[in-house]
Amino acid sequence: MFTGIIESIGTIRALTPKGGDVRVLVETGKLDLSDVRLGDSIAVNGVCLTAVELPGDGFWADVSRETLARTAFVDFKPGSRVNLEKALTPTSRLGGHLVSGHVDGVGEIVAREENARAVQFRVRAPAELARYIAMKGSITVDGTSLTVNAVDGAEFELTIVPHTLAETIMADYRPGRQVNLEVDLLARYLERLLLGDKAAESSGRTGGITEGFLAEHGYLK
């Protein structure tokens, strides 16, 4: 679990195809790794990854096909900046909201506008996530816990203060940028509970990531 309060901006240093998926090296910048052990979780742009190697100034992690299919990880390349947060501990302050690190879908920045010293963004979510996004509710964008200021269909607005712009990668956002979205945990579980007995019925969902998907995005030669 995470809070959505970003601790450091890191940098993708390597993306290596490995056994059909990808291994990534993340340089962690000012993130304190002194208490991080192999197997610990670190959120990278809101994606919960497991540290499998700790070279000293960062960590290696494996990125599964499921993660490649459901997140904006496919847009990363060496040099990409990313938001980083270590997992919660029992004594952590919950400064944002409860974040699982399991991305629900990929959104798109559709507008950016200066608003006094802040910046206002309009983000388009996938249509299937719109019902989970509420005015003044919480949403996670690339791992950052944010408050929704307005909602219009599948689009929502965010007002980002100077501190958040300085401490996250949001200053880099421009229209057309793809971002990882995680909706509020409570909204997801509430919907499932409201299904009652129908929750046990198969939805018949098929598909997912394929060899073709990996090849198209340069992960397979």
Side-chain angles (χ1 to χ4, degrees), residues 17 29 79 82 87 109 140 175 184 199:
V82 289
I109 303 296
T140 306
D184 187 70

Side-chain angles (χ1 to χ4, degrees), residues 27-132:
E27 184 180 286
T28 50
K30 68 179 183 180
L31 190 70
D32 181 11
L33 297 179
S34 63
D35 59 347
V36 174
R37 302 292 180 263
L38 293 180
D40 284 356
S41 296
I42 298 176
V44 179
N45 269 19
V47 180
C48 178
L49 297 180
T50 300
V52 297
E53 293 183 41
L54 293 166
D57 59 349
F59 68 98
W60 285 91
D62 291 318
V63 183
S64 70
R65 291 184 172 192
E66 172 74 4
T67 298
L68 292 170
R70 291 185 173 274
T71 72
F73 236 97
V74 293
D75 295 331
F76 287 170
K77 56 185 180 295
S80 294
R81 301 202 319 155
V82 289
N83 291 325
L84 300 176
E85 182 191 356
K86 294 187 294 187
L88 276 168
T89 66
T91 57
S92 297
R93 289 179 175 171
L94 188 59
H97 70 285
L98 287 175
V99 175
S100 70
H102 304 155
V103 172
D104 293 301
V106 177
E108 180 182 351
I109 303 296
V110 294
R112 171 182 175 138
E113 182 180 339
E114 303 299 317
N115 185 354
R117 293 187 304 117
V119 175
Q120 188 164 308
F121 292 101
R122 178 174 284 266
V123 186
R124 181 181 298 119
E128 63 271 19
L129 296 185
R131 62 183 179 271
Y132 303 113

